[in-house]
Amino acid sequence: MLSQIIQTASQRVRELRQLKELTHEQLATLAGVSRQFLKKFEDEQTNISIEKLNDIAVALGIHISDLLVENNHFSIEEKLIEQIKMLSRNKTSRDLKYVIALLNAMEQEESSLH
């Protein structure tokens, strides 16, 4: 049985990989590990070295400590920011300006309600 810290890390890796809409193959490539290893780690079927865990954290764009803290779940704002980043990939300047205008309009509407 894996330690609680490793279990937490494996759950966080899965959560973040899915949030960033990465496949096992994509994250494994970015982290320099095999797809099979990553899947086994997420399924809590194997242990991991600190070095490999750090490589995965870097590939996810976070600090390794973010994988080790059980109560370090993303807030709704962080999830929204991550989703906006994902959706903005390969978009034109016009599309991005439209999104910014939409967000500004939402903010103005909220301000007028208070």
Side-chain angles (χ1 to χ4, degrees), residues 59-74:
L60 288 168
I62 60 170
H63 190 273
I64 189 172
S65 64
D66 295 326
L67 296 177
L68 303 175
V69 181
E70 188 170 3
N71 293 328
N72 194 13
H73 293 285
F74 280 119

Side-chain angles (χ1 to χ4, degrees), residues 2-60:
L2 299 178
S3 75
Q4 183 61 43
I5 293 173
I6 298 299
Q7 287 176 331
T8 297
S10 66
Q11 292 165 2
R12 296 280 295 140
V13 166
R14 172 173 282 153
E15 177 185 331
L16 293 167
R17 179 184 59 76
Q18 291 173 342
L19 182 65
K20 292 178 179 280
E21 298 180 356
L22 294 171
T23 64
H24 285 106
E25 187 69 38
Q26 290 168 325
L27 180 55
T29 299
L30 291 170
V33 299
S34 73
R35 181 191 61 76
Q36 295 85 353
F37 174 81
L38 180 62
K39 180 147 178 31
K40 280 185 175 183
F41 177 66
E42 283 187 3
D43 292 340
E44 300 177 19
Q45 296 177 354
T46 189
N47 221 329
I48 190 169
S49 69
I50 291 294
E51 291 81 12
K52 281 187 181 179
L53 190 58
N54 189 61
D55 291 341
I56 292 170
V58 169
L60 288 168

Side-chain angles (χ1 to χ4, degrees), residues 19-21 76-91 95-96 99-100 102-104 106:
L19 182 65
K20 292 178 179 280
E21 298 180 356
I76 191 71
E77 292 86 4
E78 290 169 316
K79 287 181 180 179
L80 176 61
I81 290 168
E82 214 35 63
Q83 196 66 24
I84 290 170
K85 286 180 186 176
M86 296 300 297
L87 292 172
S88 67
R89 287 187 186 159
N90 302 319
K91 299 293 188 241
D95 291 339
L96 295 175
V99 171
I100 290 169
L102 179 62
L103 292 171
N104 286 335
M106 289 172 62

